[in-house]
Amino acid sequence: MENKYVEVKAYPTIGIILLGGVSDNNNRLPLHTTAGIAYTGLNDDIYVKTKLYVSDQEKGFINGKEVYANSDRSPFTVIDKYKNDVLLRAGCPDKNLSFKSENFNVLSGSSDAGAAAIGECIESIFEYNINIFTFENDLQKISESAGRSMYGGLTINHANGKESLTDGILEAGYFRDYVIVGCHFSDKRKPSDDIHKNIVNHPDYKTRVKNSELKSKELEKLANAHNIKKIFELAEGDSEEYHKMLNEVGVHIITPEMQVFINKVREMKKDFWNSYIVTGGTNVFVVVDSVNKEKIGDEAVNFNARPVYLKVAGKPEVLSKNF
């Protein structure tokens, strides 16, 4: 029974001020303030599509694989909280809710998009008559950085492990003259929980928490000035600090192949402006003026990486709905 449904497209994300440390495995509230952007392909062909629908039995599928209510970070932790009210609005109080979610060409940050897509499905049914503060915290049980995808563009998540709320600070359109070249090295990646569990043990972690708050204030100033290059330069500095700390606690994200490529990207700065970011996966994201995107893409191929050209994306979109 899928005649009552809503289908949403949401966009994955990249960190600008990177997150390391969450409150616990269930609530997953960030321990410090972070920032990020939503992204898609230049032809809008990178996204997560999710369908929430009324059904006889509760079923969930991510990329064709069944997901159960008791799975770690299961979307049912949010769906079941709002299920009764949704079914009443659908006029089917004795039925269940199911979902299907599929990733299209996502390099990194798919869980943020998946969480935001579930959120937009539910919000669209409630017609935004919902407490956004508690709702974002619900979605963080699926993905700790869900707010980045919920708002699109550039966002800051103000957090301290007990409270968390995301603000959109610069819309996607302001980034239109820039391209992010996602240089994909491998599908192997460390689980994010490895990062969260280990980085908090670094002797300078408290300093990073404090500095993340200071960086967020600087980011707000740069966003107000529409200073895109300085925003990404701040991101590069944060990425370097983050991975230095991870290396020192035994979590090695940047492979030797990635590091050689990063060194080349740094050399190329003398010829044209660029800035790079490495989050928790095996991608090096290099930001350039759009006219220089092929220079990075060609170099990525020389280092056996697959280049994908990206742009900053906006909020989730309702594709179709019958509720």
Side-chain angles (χ1 to χ4, degrees), residues 167-235:
D167 289 326
I169 62 169
L170 197 60
E171 294 177 354
Y174 288 101
F175 296 84
R176 60 184 171 272
D177 295 330
Y178 298 86
V179 169
I180 305 163
V181 188
C183 305
H184 183 65
F185 280 81
S186 167
D187 290 325
K188 286 187 176 181
R189 59 170 293 159
K190 292 276 197 309
S192 61
D193 285 343
D194 285 1
I195 294 172
H196 298 314
K197 289 176 182 176
N198 286 282
I199 196 169
V200 296
N201 297 319
H202 194 283
D204 292 333
Y205 184 73
K206 288 183 179 179
T207 301
R208 175 159 177 82
V209 170
K210 181 180 178 180
N211 287 344
S212 295
E213 187 64 33
L214 295 174
K215 289 175 187 177
S216 75
K217 295 183 186 306
E218 178 64 20
L219 201 58
E220 287 179 332
K221 293 176 183 177
L222 295 173
N224 288 335
H226 304 159
N227 194 332
I228 306 302
K229 288 184 177 178
K230 288 294 184 183
I231 287 170
F232 285 116
E233 287 170 9
L234 183 152

Side-chain angles (χ1 to χ4, degrees), residues 54-70:
V54 175
S55 57
D56 291 326
Q57 292 183 313
E58 184 177 81
K59 295 281 188 180
F61 296 91
I62 297 177
N63 295 325
K65 182 179 179 181
E66 188 164 4
V67 176
Y68 301 96
N70 60 355

